[in-house]
């Protein structure tokens, strides 16, 4: 399911996956697995999306994000799991609310300043939680980024963030057969999703993207509350 949505919307893979995988594998191993699977998803999607990539925006988002990636990885080693989950959920929700407000908050996600702020937030969130999607979605809406070009460009950004994050965090410690099974399911979902991209309306794709972003952020918040209560 996550692979299909990733192919249609361009960024919802980890947003859909993060809730179940964190509940099954825990916040550290679950995010590590999600990051590796996201690299696979983006690598498979990238060739077919190549012609639509907006390289000007990609360079800024990727550059700002790669500077922030090490700090996100470092944070996972410094904070206890509940505190880390609260930070991740809070940043995701703020990012999603950004384009919906007027004044300085919305202006921060537009233009050159917006692309740097969104890129840095996305890189930090990607390496710490895999949830870079909310920051990128907020920027795309605020700066009126056309959906298909955004979806294509996101694959380069995710691939860059993902490879760097995996190198910093290390590979999953789960049994190889489990990792392989998850990787194969991801590939099948991406291929299946490619069949839907020609028939799914742009408005619907963006609506699904935003709903998945909200679900991902709220699931992380719920997981944090559960961790505190336990």
């Amino acid at each position: 399911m996550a692979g299909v949505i990733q192919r249609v919307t361009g960024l919802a893979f980890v947003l859909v996956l993060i809730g179940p995988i964190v509940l099954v594998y825990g916040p550290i191993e679950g995010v590590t697995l999600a990051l590796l699977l996201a690299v696979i998803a983006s690598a498979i999607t990238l060739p077919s999306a190549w012609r639509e990539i907006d390289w000007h925006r990609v360079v800024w988002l990727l550059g700002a994000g790669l500077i922030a990636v090490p700090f996100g990885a470092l944070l996972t080693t410094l904070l206890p799991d509940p505190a880390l989950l609260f930070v991740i959920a809070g940043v995701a929700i703020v990012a999603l609310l950004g384009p919906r407000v007027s004044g300085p908050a919305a202006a921060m996600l537009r233009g050159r300043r917006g692309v740097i702020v969104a890129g840095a937030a996305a890189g930090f969130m990607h390496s710490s939680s895999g949830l870079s999607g909310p920051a990128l979605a907020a920027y795309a809406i605020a700066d009126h980024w056309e959906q298909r070009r955004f979806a294509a460009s996101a694959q380069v950004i995710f691939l860059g963030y993902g490879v760097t994050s995996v190198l910093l965090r290390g590979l999953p410690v789960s049994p190889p057969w489990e990792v392989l099974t998850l990787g194969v399911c991801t590939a099948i979902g991406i291929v299946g999703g490619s069949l839907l991209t020609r028939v799914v309306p742009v408005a619907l794709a963006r609506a699904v993207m935003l709903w998945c972003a909200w679900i991902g952020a709220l699931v992380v918040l719920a997981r944090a509350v559960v961790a505190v209560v336990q």
Side-chain angles (χ1 to χ4, degrees):
M1 178 62 178
V4 172
I5 295 178
Q6 160 80 5
R7 189 63 185 88
V8 175
T9 67
L11 58 62
F13 180 82
V14 177
L15 294 168
V16 174
L17 183 65
I18 194 67
I21 205 166
V22 164
L23 292 176
V24 173
Y25 291 95
I28 301 299
E29 178 68 1
V31 170
T32 302
L33 278 167
L35 289 172
L36 180 60
L37 296 176
V39 168
I40 295 172
S42 293
I44 295 174
T45 305
L46 186 58
S48 61
W50 190 263
R51 293 184 179 181
E52 298 289 337
I53 294 172
D54 185 342
W55 287 106
H56 177 71
R57 281 187 167 108
V58 165
V59 168
W60 283 98
L61 288 167
L62 194 56
L66 290 179
I67 293 173
V69 161
F71 296 98
L74 177 63
L75 185 67
T76 64
T77 67
L78 299 177
L79 292 180
D81 290 350
L84 178 60
L85 291 171
F86 274 119
V87 169
I88 293 165
V91 173
I93 291 170
V94 169
L96 281 165
L97 289 174
R100 298 177 180 274
V101 299
S102 59
M108 284 188 66
L109 290 173
R110 300 192 187 109
R112 181 64 54 81
R113 178 173 57 181
V115 77
I116 293 173
V117 170
F124 177 86
M125 293 166 65
H126 197 93
S127 60
S128 60
S129 69
L131 283 171
S132 54
L136 295 177
Y139 168 73
I141 298 297
D143 208 51
H144 308 291
W145 198 354
E146 195 272 323
Q147 173 65 29
R148 295 193 184 278
R149 292 189 63 113
F150 165 64
S153 303
Q155 307 318 307
V156 182
I157 298 167
F158 288 146
L159 193 59
Y161 291 170
V163 170
T164 307
S165 298
V166 169
L167 290 175
L168 290 172
R169 294 175 62 108
L171 294 171
V173 297
S174 299
W177 69 267
E178 288 189 23
V179 178
L180 179 61
T181 300
L182 291 170
V184 170
C185 291
T186 296
I188 292 173
I190 293 296
V191 173
S194 66
L195 302 177
L196 300 177
T197 56
R198 297 179 181 178
V199 298
V200 176
V202 172
L204 177 60
R206 176 149 286 183
V208 171
M209 174 187 75
L210 291 174
W211 272 107
C212 289
W214 272 108
I215 290 170
L218 293 176
V219 165
V220 173
L221 179 60
R223 182 67 181 85
V225 173
V226 170
V228 170
V229 173
Q230 288 179 340

